[in-house]
Amino acid sequence: MQDGQKSKLSIHSSNDKSTEKINVFIKKCKNLVTQKPEGVSLYAKIDFNEVQIAESPKFHITPENTPDINFSANLNVVTSDYFSIDDLAFKPVIITLIEVLPKEKKQKEEKIQTFGQCTFDLLDIIRGKTELS
């Protein structure tokens, strides 16, 4: 999910003047490779400042097909709080793709492992940009 990853961040004002919403939108991931002919089941997890913001529904990729994800989540930022602005300047949004491994017999819970990860730096949002991709 490194070079070809297609996600977008945008900022939207809310009714409360001290709060802004940063919308994290994952459209599609490119260059995902699996050697398993049956493919793999994945989901995306979005984190900021060591807190999970959202988790996408599962999707399935195969060696021939990578579907559009079209998943979005909002990161609420209190703009009157200097610590929130500092976090935006120095901490990235982390998008992690998690692989859901097939259940084995008598296994109660799904096993998962990290499939890929990318980060988005939010400093340009502070500098006035309204979209990053």
Side-chain angles (χ1 to χ4, degrees), residues 28-33 59-68:
K28 183 174 186 146
C29 296
K30 291 185 177 180
N31 301 328
L32 297 178
V33 179
F59 55 94
H60 193 77
I61 66 166
T62 63
E64 300 84 31
N65 183 33
T66 302
D68 288 349

Side-chain angles (χ1 to χ4, degrees), residues 40-122:
V40 294
S41 291
L42 303 171
Y43 64 90
K45 184 177 77 156
I46 302 171
D47 296 299
F48 178 72
N49 197 13
E50 299 180 15
V51 174
Q52 183 173 324
I53 299 170
E55 193 174 284
S56 76
K58 290 181 192 173
F59 55 94
H60 193 77
I61 66 166
T62 63
E64 300 84 31
N65 183 33
T66 302
D68 288 349
I69 300 170
N70 293 323
F71 175 71
S72 67
N74 288 321
L75 168 63
N76 295 317
V77 180
V78 180
T79 56
S80 60
D81 179 16
Y82 295 115
F83 293 110
S84 290
I85 301 301
D86 192 55
D87 286 344
L88 283 178
F90 294 104
K91 296 178 181 175
V93 170
I94 300 170
I95 301 173
T96 306
L97 287 181
I98 306 291
E99 179 181 0
V100 180
L101 302 172
K103 281 187 178 181
E104 295 177 12
K105 293 180 182 179
K106 298 182 182 179
Q107 183 179 333
K108 292 182 182 180
E109 293 185 24
E110 292 179 328
K111 288 188 180 181
I112 59 171
Q113 68 182 17
T114 300
F115 188 83
Q117 194 171 57
C118 74
T119 61
F120 270 102
D121 183 13
L122 298 176

Side-chain angles (χ1 to χ4, degrees), residues 9-27:
L9 299 177
S10 57
I11 191 163
H12 301 282
S13 294
S14 66
N15 292 336
D16 181 1
K17 293 186 180 197
S18 66
T19 302
E20 298 283 342
K21 288 183 181 181
I22 297 176
N23 179 263
V24 180
F25 178 73
I26 303 172
K27 179 179 180 182

